[in-house]
Amino acid sequence: MATMRVDDKLGFVRFRVDEQNPHIVLNEEYDDEKEIRLLVMACPAGLYAYEDGKLSFNYEGCLECGTCRVLSLGKAIERWDYPRGAKGVEYHQG
Ligand code: SF4
């Protein structure tokens, strides 16, 4: 059996987006650029962007890995929860 690469496995990931309730909320006031750039680099799904001094984020493709929670909860991230009910990421390959 051939080994699948991580990128190939992620092609099977599905998301059930909870459009009413973002499960991660940014602290709009946070402005430590060094910490913010760390956050942008660390997210494996590339959901954070930092341009013109402004941090932006799209929770819809979140893999729920918790990396950003560990790095930045209480700093650039104001709230981090798992999505409600059957919402969020759904893995199909390992
Ligand atoms: S939990 Fe993981 S995938 Fe989701 S936003 Fe944070 S670092 Fe990115």
Side-chain angles (χ1 to χ4, degrees):
M1 183 174 169
T3 304
M4 290 183 75
R5 297 174 355 159
V6 172
D7 284 349
D8 296 330
K9 289 182 179 181
L10 289 177
F12 289 95
V13 170
R14 294 203 170 74
F15 300 95
R16 294 179 193 271
V17 177
D18 187 347
E19 294 175 9
Q20 313 304 320
N21 292 288
H23 65 288
I24 298 172
V25 176
L26 298 183
N27 175 357
E28 303 287 342
E29 307 297 316
Y30 193 76
D31 63 357
D32 185 325
E33 188 173 330
K34 186 177 170 193
E35 290 282 339
I36 289 171
R37 290 193 184 282
L38 199 62
L39 180 61
V40 171
M41 284 191 298
C43 175
L47 302 180
Y48 293 91
Y50 188 62
E51 285 182 67
D52 301 326
K54 176 90 176 130
L55 177 64
S56 60
F57 172 65
N58 179 359
Y59 71 95
E60 295 178 6
C62 177
L63 300 169
E64 299 170 33
C65 67
T67 303
C68 61
R69 182 180 196 273
V70 171
L71 281 177
S72 215
L73 184 60
K75 296 187 275 188
I77 296 174
E78 185 173 296
R79 183 168 58 81
W80 195 109
D81 294 309
Y82 284 107
R84 300 182 307 164
K87 303 290 186 182
V89 67
E90 190 176 291
Y91 290 98
H92 290 268
Q93 294 284 326

